[in-house]
Amino acid sequence: MSVFDDPGLFGRLWAADYDRGNPDPASAVDFLADLADGGPALELAIGTGRVALPLAERGLTVHGVEASEEMIAQMRAKPGGDQIPVVVGDMADVPVKGEFRLAYLVFNTLFNLVDAERQADCFRNVARVLSPGGAFVIETFVPDPRSFDSDEQVQVRAVTEDSATIRLHRYDRPAQRFIRQTITFDSAGVHLKPFAMRYAWPHQIDEMAERAGLRLTERYADWHRRPFQADSPAHISVYRRA
């Protein structure tokens, strides 16, 4: 199945290595805990529980949605990971019931929904399960066209005596989408890990939220609440249900 059609493909390919080299989630956990107002909280694309487990340790009730059973297995193997209820499904559908004080989608994961319609579906469905005044928190990078210096890019990721890894990108600017392929060559053969994103600028995300009945109440450059500027490379945005 195509990387554009299979929401669980990323997890199946990356689950075993996902926790390596990713940012420390401590500042995100602090930020989200402050907003949770006692919970319950919902994490879309809960993954290996890097954020959900520390929040649960603070006494919050956390639920999750995750398309990859491999990612869920990684979380279940961690202390407390078997206590968090997770629905297996596409995060754009938000296939859960109940009202949540907080929902969140961090680490650029909104962009893993690779077309605008599914991103809009995600906002609409989150609005459905938020309690009045509840918050939906998004963290994404701010696209920089200067980094898309060509339609195709090749990067050398690692070279050893036994293997070599390269990463290739191909951009579709009109669709605001790219496909990335990470290729490792070693004695066992050629290993492919495809990945795709549909990126959006903050104002486009705001428009999706507004159409879903959510309003932007806060925006920061990072989890430490530094002011968001025109040249900020990322944003943390808080949307609330009226």
Side-chain angles (χ1 to χ4, degrees):
M1 182 174 285
S2 165
V3 68
F4 294 111
D5 303 319
D6 183 355
L9 181 61
F10 174 83
R12 291 198 297 278
L13 293 174
W14 293 95
D17 300 317
Y18 184 71
D19 287 340
R20 294 183 209 158
N22 276 316
D24 184 341
S27 58
V29 171
D30 289 341
F31 184 102
L32 294 167
D34 286 345
L35 284 183
D37 192 26
L42 173 66
E43 180 169 2
L44 302 180
I46 196 170
T48 63
R50 294 173 60 244
V51 175
L53 287 172
L55 281 176
E57 288 171 1
R58 298 189 183 200
L60 287 173
T61 299
V62 183
H63 296 248
V65 174
E66 174 57 53
S68 164
E69 303 219 22
E70 291 81 0
M71 283 283 197
I72 298 170
Q74 292 288 323
M75 183 180 72
R76 296 289 186 230
K78 299 177 181 179
D82 59 345
Q83 302 300 309
I84 295 180
V86 179
V87 174
V88 178
D90 189 334
M91 64 183 176
D93 296 327
V94 192
V96 296
K97 295 181 180 179
E99 289 194 338
F100 296 89
R101 291 298 300 165
L102 171 70
Y104 58 95
L105 187 51
V106 297
F107 306 135
N108 303 314
T109 310
L110 173 67
F111 296 166
N112 289 8
L113 298 170
V114 293
D115 63 65
E117 290 77 12
R118 291 303 278 161
Q119 291 177 358
D121 288 344
C122 183
F123 274 88
R124 283 194 296 270
N125 287 316
V126 166
R128 173 179 51 81
V129 300
L130 280 181
S131 61
F136 183 29
V137 179
I138 296 288
E139 178 198 15
T140 74
F141 65 83
V142 177
D144 182 356
R146 293 173 298 180
S147 68
F148 311 156
D149 56 359
S150 64
D151 289 333
E152 300 178 15
Q153 297 179 5
V154 180
Q155 303 168 337
V156 177
R157 302 293 293 180
V159 177
T160 72
E161 293 181 355
D162 301 313
S163 68
T165 300
I166 62 173
R167 180 169 286 177
L168 301 92
H169 291 78
R170 184 173 183 87
Y171 288 90
D172 179 350
R173 290 190 184 86
Q176 296 178 200
R177 193 158 72 170
F178 67 80
I179 185 168
R180 184 182 78 195
Q181 183 66 265
T182 302
I183 308 171
T184 298
F185 306 89
D186 61 22
S187 60
V190 179
H191 312 277
L192 304 178
K193 288 187 175 180
F195 177 64
M197 275 188 167
R198 191 264 173 184
Y199 52 87
W201 278 265
H203 74 275
Q204 294 176 318
I205 299 173
D206 295 346
E207 290 167 1
M208 283 189 280
E210 185 175 355
R211 290 195 298 269
L214 302 172
R215 59 187 176 88
L216 178 70
T217 58
E218 303 167 57
R219 173 163 287 148
Y220 305 101
D222 57 31
W223 294 112
H224 301 287
R225 291 184 167 85
R226 293 187 179 97
F228 179 78
Q229 309 285 351
D231 59 351
S232 296
H235 66 104
I236 313 297
S237 297
V238 181
Y239 301 94
R240 290 192 181 272
R241 179 183 161 190

